[in-house]
Amino acid sequence: MSSLNASAPVWTIFAPDRSSEDSLQDQVYAFFRDAIAEGRLRPGQRLPSTRGLARENRLGRGTIAIAFDRLLAEGYIETRPGVGTLVAEDLADLPMVMPPSPGVEPESKFVAEAALPEASGRARSVGALPLHDPAPGPLFLNPGYPAVDAFPFKTWARLASQFWRSEPAQLLGYQDPQGYLPLRIAISEYLRTARGIAATPDRILVTSGSQQAVDLVTRALLEPGDKVCIEDPGYIGLKGAITASGAVLAPAPVDEQGLIVAEARRKGAGTRLAIVTPTHQFPTGAMLSLARRLELLRWAADEDVWLLEDDYDSEFRYEGRPLSALHSLDPDGRVIYAGTFSKVLAPAIRLGYLVAPSRLMPVLRRLRAHVDRHPPIDSQAVLARFIDEGHFGVHVRRMRLLYRERRDALVAALHGEFGPRASPEPPTSGMHLTLALPAGISDVEVSARALAVGVKCPPLSAYCQTATSRSGLLLGFANLDPALAPQVATRLGAVIAGMQTGMADPVSTPQSNTVSI
Amino acid sequence: MSSLNASAPVWTIFAPDRSSEDSLQDQVYAFFRDAIAEGRLRPGQRLPSTRGLARENRLGRGTIAIAFDRLLAEGYIETRPGVGTLVAEDLADLPMVMPPSPGVEPESKFVAEAALPEASGRARSVGALPLHDPAPGPLFLNPGYPAVDAFPFKTWARLASQFWRSEPAQLLGYQDPQGYLPLRIAISEYLRTARGIAATPDRILVTSGSQQAVDLVTRALLEPGDKVCIEDPGYIGLKGAITASGAVLAPAPVDEQGLIVAEARRKGAGTRLAIVTPTHQFPTGAMLSLARRLELLRWAADEDVWLLEDDYDSEFRYEGRPLSALHSLDPDGRVIYAGTFSKVLAPAIRLGYLVAPSRLMPVLRRLRAHVDRHPPIDSQAVLARFIDEGHFGVHVRRMRLLYRERRDALVAALHGEFGPRASPEPPTSGMHLTLALPAGISDVEVSARALAVGVKCPPLSAYCQTATSRSGLLLGFANLDPALAPQVATRLGAVIAGMQTGMADPVSTPQSNTVSI
């Protein structure tokens, strides 16, 4: 490096670094750009000749020339006939240095959300909510988590490869925001045969999963400040999607018949939307009774409430027949039906669907186009083919058997650990059961202690919106290797025994998917 | 069918249809459910025995029993010891028939948006905007539409197949809402080497394309009613994403140096976000000058304006070097940089990215999780591998050569058609050029007439937010087979000649990507 002399021009401190990953011309460019931007070279100041600069730094003249051309093109420098190359004059009145944001390093790690008061109110409200754990361990019992190891990898690989090898150029532009028509046809057929739902493809919109379904519906139908009735306890992820739309939560309690509609009606005057899980209430497992269904539809008609029926896991019924969807009682009225492939196939493929009243579809379709256009075409085409070729039906039946086996293994292990106090009734549907806890024991604390010994299972109280006496552990069995079920039971037994001081009564009223101990 | 007798019980009109696709038990179930729901069977009314009903209809008794079990489970009927099976009593106070929505048929086609006054204000504002055309023909010249026939199908098929055959179970649960880390690392490396942008993977968020980038940024940063500065003319799709977030458009004019920042500043008091295309203004092709860039950053710092730099097609520069991104002048301040793979690969894969100041990332990440969680894992993993193995760099270079060839073919054809009046300067970057029209000729009318002869090219005025003298045709050349370029020119020539009555002067001031005729 040249020695630094106060009267020497600033470029004498430039020294090319031949070991750098940046090219020499990039180094020349960056040096002069920064010197100009930081005011060390002034507007109108003459620059050295490319020849002189090249010689001084033992660089090719072409290297300097390329860097200078770029500075010229970007407006940092200009050439004047008979004078030479100068720092551009029209920067004179402009600030040359942008002050760095206070306290923020360019490469800094995430800072706490509190550090961003500029975020919108809705973004801040979302920021406080929990996120899904992306890295489950072997004893990961989050409810609603399917058997990812049982995914039909080989078939999917074959169909994906077939899709791309067919060179589907005509499908690679912007596609229908309502979803790929062959997939909508396949879903329509599936709904008709498996769920008894009459939904023509023009009433189906393919979503990127249930979370987006809630996002689209709330944004399409609600003004900021509108109320949304949700079940309490209920699915936590709803809160984020609802508050992100600017709407307000109006939780209503659930009993063994599902949502207590009279409570919802009483608490939620001015409600514009109610989100319900009639087939299999999440997380209590209650089935919404017919009387309640009709009461709900009556409320919807009386007070212009939209109903979003979240039918997230109706595929997994182990005994008896699935009930008719709420949607079937009101197919083109105020019920919007949401299904997902996250539970039946896998969350990471990000596909689901809405069945909406026909008058609502143009609004949803256009909103979706402007939100993110459509799901990737390959995912949609592969799934359509997967359903059409019959693999989907086979997979659902396989998973139903697998989950029943896993349910039985977990129930047996819990009975083995907790003895005759444990209720003999395993859940007849779904992907999790609720373990009731002895009175006086905090489910939050049990959950935390269980995590410390490697068992991940959330407390029921975490799904409650309001103060409640509900307590328990949610144990998802769909992704649990049956061989590991005894370990789960033993570890939970040890945790609970360590907290117990003679208490024995279960704390909750029995629910349809609850194992009491 | 049994003959209908006023005093006969309602079930005597039931007749199984053995040619139906519905099972016999489903037919029994549906008949009784409907009869109860419609009030033809009253609460407490006794039902026939399964034996009698089976005999009468020549059905198996098991068929009837299954149907009745379902009705029982759903609460339509109940059994009473010593009495038999009755229509359920607790439906007495409930309405049994839901009135159909007035004027809506269950299978009806889309109705006009005006028919849904219940839609939210933001959804209605979005509804008025144009959608992309999902079905282009051969002479489809929409700007920004890449060469979908040149997609790297074989490589993509191989990588997709490899991904699924590796049985990546651990990647099939809910994944990082910020995006798959290997993809973020690949994007980071690409930005560093190709664009000179220093962005560590923790400052990159993978989006489902630019449309979602705008949606996330507006929702994360804006309150309803906040102003967003957009370029005029500019990309139409912004309007929908912005209004869907409840924000208000504040268009500011563009000249040959790009956005006139002083106008934006003057018009947009109270602006919280400005969305700009500094590298290559869409659709005029202007490059934002350095003076304007610094002015823009000064404005952002002075008045707390966020800047969203949409760098949608910087890969396609045919002469000279690409300019530094605006982001590079303010890497962790108020500039959010958005890139997309829609132009370089294909729109239908739905992948893009944001580079955001580190303090903003936690907010964007959490909002994204609650909006739609993350893009499908397979798309992300395949693209990451595609970049890592060097295919992406090769593809970009191939497309750059291909698009230059297509540009040259279109320019030559236009010169051939319109003669020496056509400007000799083809655009030095991007995927479209603007054909200026003789004074007094409506570009909307030319576009409509061109469409009638099979040439799809939008009018420039359609991209204008405010009344303006700008007029012209946008001709995207990236997806145009060079052999068809003469046809495009000939047909446009005929259309324009048919409208011309002696007018010859070009109407617009020349723009960097304009061909005057």
Side-chain angles (χ1 to χ4, degrees):
Chain A
M1 186 185 278
S2 317
S3 67
L4 183 57
N5 178 322
S7 68
V10 69
W11 55 82
T12 57
I13 65 166
F14 173 70
D17 176 0
R18 285 162 209 277
S19 67
S20 164
E21 287 190 10
D22 294 334
S23 71
L24 293 166
Q25 64 209 42
D26 281 352
Q27 293 181 45
V28 174
Y29 160 79
F31 174 82
F32 280 92
R33 184 198 61 188
D34 292 348
I36 295 169
E38 291 160 23
R40 290 182 284 127
L41 284 168
R42 300 301 168 90
Q45 187 172 348
R46 244 187 97 185
L47 296 183
S49 69
T50 53
R51 184 190 308 266
L53 203 57
R55 195 175 45 221
E56 193 168 327
N57 292 285
R58 279 174 296 162
L59 294 170
R61 199 178 159 188
T63 302
I64 309 290
I66 290 170
F68 275 30
D69 279 354
R70 186 168 174 196
L71 292 165
L72 193 66
E74 295 186 10
Y76 285 99
I77 63 178
E78 54 194 38
T79 57
R80 207 168 298 164
V83 179
T85 307
L86 313 172
V87 177
E89 286 281 5
D90 72 342
L91 305 174
D93 298 332
L94 292 167
M96 298 309 294
V97 184
M98 298 308 302
S101 309
V104 177
E105 295 299 310
E107 313 281 309
S108 68
K109 293 287 169 199
F110 293 159
V111 289
E113 281 97 284
L116 194 72
E118 310 103 300
S120 68
R122 55 193 156 193
R124 282 198 306 271
S125 73
V126 162
L129 296 169
L131 292 175
H132 249 273
D133 186 338
L139 302 184
F140 177 84
L141 283 78
N142 266 13
Y145 205 93
V148 289
D149 54 340
F151 187 86
F153 292 108
K154 286 191 177 56
T155 308
W156 208 268
R158 178 173 59 76
L159 296 176
S161 178
Q162 271 176 14
F163 173 78
W164 287 112
R165 280 182 199 287
S166 74
E167 309 209 345
Q170 76 290 356
L171 293 178
L172 290 194
Y174 294 103
Q175 297 298 304
D176 190 339
Q178 197 175 337
Y180 184 49
L181 184 58
L183 177 57
R184 288 191 281 127
I185 292 172
I187 292 171
S188 167
E189 183 64 11
Y190 166 70
L191 286 174
R192 193 181 67 76
T193 55
R195 290 290 284 135
I197 292 175
T200 48
D202 61 328
R203 285 180 48 218
I204 295 173
L205 181 140
V206 181
T207 65
S208 296
S210 291
Q211 197 71 31
Q212 189 184 50
V214 176
D215 184 51
L216 288 174
V217 167
T218 51
R219 294 170 80 185
L221 297 175
L222 303 177
E223 304 297 340
D226 279 351
K227 280 193 206 167
V228 180
C229 171
I230 57 171
E231 298 168 335
D232 184 12
Y235 172 56
I236 311 177
L238 290 178
K239 292 167 64 175
I242 293 168
T243 55
S245 80
V248 175
L249 301 170
V254 164
D255 64 13
E256 70 286 351
Q257 286 190 71
L259 180 72
I260 305 176
V261 179
E263 286 288 317
R265 206 170 171 145
R266 194 173 62 76
K267 286 194 179 176
T271 298
R272 291 291 324 276
L273 172 69
I275 305 181
V276 290
T277 51
T279 305
H280 186 231
Q281 204 276 329
F282 185 86
T284 67
M287 183 186 77
L288 192 66
S289 67
L290 180 63
R292 292 271 177 86
R293 283 168 197 243
L294 294 171
E295 201 183 346
L296 192 59
L297 291 169
R298 170 65 167 267
W299 177 38
D302 282 356
E303 301 189 20
D304 284 341
V305 179
W306 291 94
L307 302 178
L308 178 57
E309 175 177 25
D310 181 5
D311 203 11
Y312 60 101
D313 73 352
S314 63
E315 287 80 5
F316 303 122
R317 170 158 287 273
Y318 310 112
E319 281 97 33
R321 288 188 58 132
L323 297 177
S324 293
L326 180 65
H327 176 271
S328 298
L329 291 173
D330 183 37
D332 203 30
R334 305 198 65 86
V335 180
I336 304 159
Y337 176 93
T340 179
F341 294 100
S342 293
K343 312 299 183 207
V344 192
L345 282 162
I349 65 167
R350 309 305 310 133
L351 285 171
Y353 50 90
L354 284 173
V355 181
S358 47
R359 70 193 187 286
L360 183 51
M361 192 51 80
V363 175
L364 287 173
R365 185 172 183 270
R366 280 180 180 264
L367 179 61
R368 207 272 152 90
H370 286 97
V371 164
D372 70 348
R373 296 194 181 277
H374 60 77
I377 191 65
D378 50 333
S379 311
Q380 296 190 79
V382 168
L383 177 56
R385 186 64 72 88
F386 188 79
I387 297 174
D388 285 346
E389 291 187 357
H391 307 297
F392 186 70
V394 172
H395 183 70
V396 169
R397 287 191 292 278
R398 246 184 78 215
M399 292 304 101
R400 203 181 284 135
L401 293 174
L402 185 72
Y403 293 176
R404 187 161 63 185
E405 178 192 323
R406 291 177 173 195
R407 173 198 69 171
D408 293 345
L410 180 59
V411 167
L414 293 172
H415 285 201
E417 176 67 27
F418 296 105
R421 284 181 303 169
S423 155
E425 289 300 333
T428 58
S429 68
M431 304 163 77
H432 74 276
L433 56 80
T434 305
L435 186 70
L437 296 172
I441 286 194
S442 151
D443 61 355
V444 174
E445 196 178 338
V446 176
S447 175
R449 290 192 187 201
L451 187 60
V453 295
V455 179
K456 175 119 198 228
C457 53
L460 175 55
S461 60
Y463 295 78
C464 297
Q465 308 291 333
T466 48
T468 171
S469 64
R470 280 180 199 270
S471 171
L473 289 180
L474 299 189
L475 304 181
F477 48 76
N479 194 41
L480 177 67
D481 181 344
L484 298 177
Q487 272 190 54
V488 169
T490 310
R491 294 187 196 188
L492 288 179
V495 164
I496 292 166
M499 293 172 67
Q500 231 169 339
T501 53
M503 301 166 292
D505 294 340
V507 81
S508 329
T509 50
Q511 294 160 3
S512 63
N513 66 350
T514 299
V515 175
S516 302
I517 57 174
Chain B
M1 186 185 278
S2 315
S3 66
L4 184 56
N5 179 324
S7 68
V10 69
W11 56 83
T12 57
I13 67 167
F14 173 70
D17 176 0
R18 285 164 209 277
S19 67
S20 165
E21 288 190 9
D22 295 333
S23 71
L24 293 166
Q25 65 209 42
D26 282 352
Q27 293 180 45
V28 175
Y29 161 79
F31 175 83
F32 280 92
R33 184 197 60 186
D34 292 349
I36 295 169
E38 291 160 25
R40 290 181 284 127
L41 283 168
R42 300 299 168 91
Q45 187 172 346
R46 240 186 100 186
L47 295 184
S49 70
T50 54
R51 186 189 309 266
L53 204 57
R55 196 175 43 222
E56 193 168 324
N57 292 285
R58 279 175 296 164
L59 293 170
R61 198 177 162 191
T63 302
I64 309 291
I66 290 171
F68 274 30
D69 279 354
R70 186 170 174 194
L71 292 164
L72 193 65
E74 295 186 11
Y76 285 99
I77 64 177
E78 55 193 38
T79 57
R80 206 167 299 164
V83 180
T85 307
L86 312 171
V87 177
E89 285 281 5
D90 72 342
L91 306 174
D93 297 332
L94 291 168
M96 297 308 293
V97 182
M98 298 307 303
S101 309
V104 176
E105 294 300 309
E107 313 279 309
S108 67
K109 293 285 168 201
F110 294 158
V111 289
E113 281 96 285
L116 193 72
E118 311 103 301
S120 66
R122 54 192 157 194
R124 282 199 306 273
S125 73
V126 162
L129 297 169
L131 291 175
H132 249 272
D133 186 338
L139 301 184
F140 177 85
L141 283 79
N142 265 14
Y145 205 93
V148 289
D149 54 339
F151 188 86
F153 292 109
K154 286 192 176 57
T155 308
W156 207 267
R158 177 173 61 75
L159 295 177
S161 178
Q162 272 176 14
F163 173 77
W164 287 112
R165 280 182 200 286
S166 74
E167 308 210 344
Q170 77 289 355
L171 293 178
L172 290 193
Y174 294 103
Q175 297 298 303
D176 190 340
Q178 196 174 338
Y180 183 49
L181 184 58
L183 178 57
R184 289 191 280 127
I185 291 172
I187 292 170
S188 167
E189 183 63 11
Y190 166 69
L191 286 174
R192 193 181 68 77
T193 55
R195 290 290 284 135
I197 292 175
T200 49
D202 62 327
R203 285 182 47 218
I204 295 172
L205 181 140
V206 181
T207 66
S208 296
S210 290
Q211 198 72 30
Q212 188 184 50
V214 175
D215 184 50
L216 288 174
V217 167
T218 51
R219 292 169 82 184
L221 298 176
L222 302 177
E223 304 296 341
D226 278 351
K227 280 194 207 167
V228 180
C229 172
I230 57 171
E231 297 167 334
D232 184 12
Y235 173 56
I236 311 176
L238 288 180
K239 291 167 64 175
I242 293 168
T243 56
S245 80
V248 176
L249 301 170
V254 163
D255 65 13
E256 69 286 349
Q257 286 192 69
L259 179 71
I260 306 176
V261 179
E263 285 289 315
R265 206 171 171 146
R266 192 173 63 76
K267 285 193 180 175
T271 298
R272 289 293 321 276
L273 172 68
I275 305 180
V276 289
T277 50
T279 306
H280 186 230
Q281 204 277 329
F282 186 86
T284 66
M287 181 187 79
L288 193 66
S289 67
L290 181 64
R292 291 270 177 86
R293 285 170 196 239
L294 295 171
E295 202 182 344
L296 191 60
L297 291 170
R298 171 64 169 269
W299 178 36
D302 282 355
E303 299 188 20
D304 284 341
V305 179
W306 291 94
L307 303 177
L308 179 58
E309 175 177 26
D310 181 5
D311 203 12
Y312 60 102
D313 73 352
S314 63
E315 287 81 5
F316 304 123
R317 170 158 286 272
Y318 311 111
E319 282 97 33
R321 288 189 61 134
L323 297 178
S324 293
L326 182 64
H327 177 271
S328 298
L329 291 173
D330 183 37
D332 204 31
R334 305 197 66 86
V335 179
I336 304 160
Y337 177 94
T340 179
F341 294 100
S342 293
K343 311 300 181 207
V344 191
L345 283 162
I349 65 167
R350 308 307 306 134
L351 284 172
Y353 50 90
L354 284 174
V355 181
S358 46
R359 69 192 188 284
L360 183 51
M361 191 50 80
V363 175
L364 288 173
R365 185 171 183 270
R366 280 181 179 264
L367 179 61
R368 208 272 152 88
H370 286 97
V371 164
D372 70 347
R373 297 194 181 276
H374 60 78
I377 191 66
D378 50 333
S379 311
Q380 295 190 79
V382 168
L383 177 56
R385 187 64 73 90
F386 188 79
I387 298 174
D388 284 345
E389 291 187 355
H391 308 296
F392 186 71
V394 172
H395 183 70
V396 170
R397 285 191 292 278
R398 247 184 77 218
M399 291 305 100
R400 202 181 285 137
L401 292 174
L402 184 73
Y403 292 177
R404 187 161 62 185
E405 178 192 326
R406 291 178 172 194
R407 173 198 68 172
D408 291 346
L410 180 59
V411 167
L414 294 172
H415 286 200
E417 176 66 27
F418 297 104
R421 283 181 305 166
S423 155
E425 291 299 332
T428 57
S429 68
M431 304 162 76
H432 75 276
L433 55 82
T434 305
L435 185 69
L437 296 171
I441 287 195
S442 152
D443 60 355
V444 173
E445 197 178 337
V446 176
S447 175
R449 292 193 186 200
L451 187 60
V453 295
V455 179
K456 175 117 198 235
C457 52
L460 175 55
S461 61
Y463 294 78
C464 298
Q465 308 291 333
T466 49
T468 170
S469 64
R470 280 179 200 270
S471 171
L473 290 180
L474 299 190
L475 304 180
F477 48 76
N479 195 41
L480 177 68
D481 180 345
L484 298 177
Q487 272 192 53
V488 168
T490 310
R491 295 188 194 187
L492 289 179
V495 164
I496 292 167
M499 293 173 68
Q500 230 169 341
T501 54
M503 302 167 291
D505 295 339
V507 80
S508 328
T509 52
Q511 295 160 3
S512 63
N513 66 349
T514 299
V515 174
S516 301
I517 57 174

